[in-house]
Amino acid sequence: MLYAILSEDIKDSLSNRQSARPAHLQRLQNLQDQGRLIIAGPHPAIDSNTPADAGFTGSLVIAEFTDLAAAQSWADVDPYVAAGVYANVTVKPFKQVFPQ
């Protein structure tokens, strides 16, 4: 089943994000290599694909896991969690309707 992992950044998270980014991206690459990643990316703090110093306000990952507990366990050990980037992480089931 698919699960949405919705994360909200702490204020001024950019430097923490930058230091933990390589490890964070490697975990996402692993999901992609396994064919389980649907989409992933950050929410820019401003209306721009390149927010520079404005940074980001959170992230979204939609991926396949065996169950909610597995999705939550995966989210709990994200490098951004360990680096203190996220203030809050919510994991919930997701039903994809489009695209089919």
Side-chain angles (χ1 to χ4, degrees), residues 3-14:
Y3 294 87
I5 302 169
L6 303 152
S7 306
E8 297 175 45
D9 282 24
I10 63 167
K11 185 177 169 113
D12 300 321
S13 63
L14 189 58

Side-chain angles (χ1 to χ4, degrees), residues 21-34 37 65 71 73-80:
R21 189 169 191 262
H24 173 78
L25 293 179
Q26 183 58 56
R27 291 182 81 234
L28 293 170
Q29 183 65 54
N30 291 344
L31 282 179
Q32 182 173 322
D33 292 348
Q34 295 167 13
L37 182 63
F65 293 92
S73 293
W74 186 89
D76 287 346
V77 295
D78 190 288
Y80 281 175

Side-chain angles (χ1 to χ4, degrees), residues 12-15 18 45-46 50-56:
D12 300 321
S13 63
L14 189 58
S15 64
Q18 290 170 332
I46 60 173
T50 53
D53 290 340
F56 301 92

